[in-house]
Amino acid sequence: MSRIGKQPIAVPSGVTVNAQNGVFSVKGPKGELTVPYNNELTIRQDGDQLLVERPSDNQKHRALHGLTRTLVANAVKGVSDGFTINLELRGVGYRAKLTGKALELAIGYSHPVVIEPPAGVTFAVPEPTKIDVSGIDKQLVGQVAANVREVRKPDAYHGKGVRFVGQQIALKAGKAGATGGKGKK
């Protein structure tokens, strides 16, 4: 039995779920999501819990069991609590600001980089060097955060760029010969 797949999913109050014809839909205080899943699996509600069950122990069903449970759990958590990914800017003069709903980054290029958020994702800039990417769809929030980071990845020598909060960058050593020693004779 899949360790992840057999765990029940708690459904908070105020969240309604419906699973039929291979589509799981969930509605909560933050919005509504739909998750497609394989028809061979069953999602049933038992009181205030959801259970994902598989018909057999063959490899395909075992593989889909944990995946489906995780996708359903992420949808339930998204419509009730939402997801937020925090980014930070490191570098002299690197800063971010909101222009309407769009994120405007000044990160060492000759022009500011403007990123428009897709539907369902919002940007927040609590400080000029901090960016919060929020939404109800975990996959979409993660992809948008990765796209923002892709604009200026952390530099391997100085660590400058856009990084996830708490991310450790392994810095490379600079030139070893530039120590000011005597030249060859």
Side-chain angles (χ1 to χ4, degrees), residues 135-148:
I136 61 172
D137 187 350
K138 186 175 187 177
Q139 292 172 328
L140 184 60
V141 169
Q143 184 62 53
V144 171
N147 292 346
V148 171

Side-chain angles (χ1 to χ4, degrees), residues 11-159:
V11 179
S13 61
V15 174
T16 58
V17 297
N18 184 19
Q20 59 184 351
N21 301 329
V23 177
F24 175 78
S25 59
V26 58
K27 185 184 284 189
K30 293 206 176 257
E32 183 175 351
L33 286 174
T34 59
V35 177
Y37 68 95
N38 193 312
N39 277 345
E40 297 173 27
L41 299 176
T42 58
I43 300 174
R44 68 178 175 88
Q45 188 166 8
D46 184 23
D48 63 345
Q49 293 184 335
L50 289 174
L51 298 171
V52 179
E53 298 166 342
R54 64 179 186 227
S56 71
D57 275 346
N58 72 28
Q59 177 61 35
K60 177 184 172 189
H61 292 149
R62 286 197 321 258
L64 289 172
H65 192 204
L67 170 70
T68 303
R69 188 257 175 218
T70 301
L71 293 176
V72 168
N74 286 342
V76 170
K77 184 175 188 259
V79 298
S80 60
D81 300 333
F83 294 99
T84 300
I85 294 180
N86 303 317
L87 301 168
E88 63 182 353
L89 302 175
R90 290 263 179 99
V92 177
Y94 287 17
R95 63 190 178 281
K97 69 177 182 177
L98 285 178
T99 307
K101 291 184 177 185
L103 180 67
E104 186 175 315
L105 301 172
I107 49 177
Y109 295 121
S110 62
H111 57 281
V113 178
V114 178
I115 301 173
E116 293 287 336
V121 174
T122 58
F123 292 124
V125 181
E127 295 177 27
T129 59
K130 307 264 187 224
I131 303 167
D132 296 338
V133 183
S134 302
I136 61 172
D137 187 350
K138 186 175 187 177
Q139 292 172 328
L140 184 60
V141 169
Q143 184 62 53
V144 171
N147 292 346
V148 171
R149 182 179 178 271
E150 192 71 26
V151 173
R152 176 73 84 175
K153 283 185 179 178
D155 177 19
Y157 292 98
H158 303 292

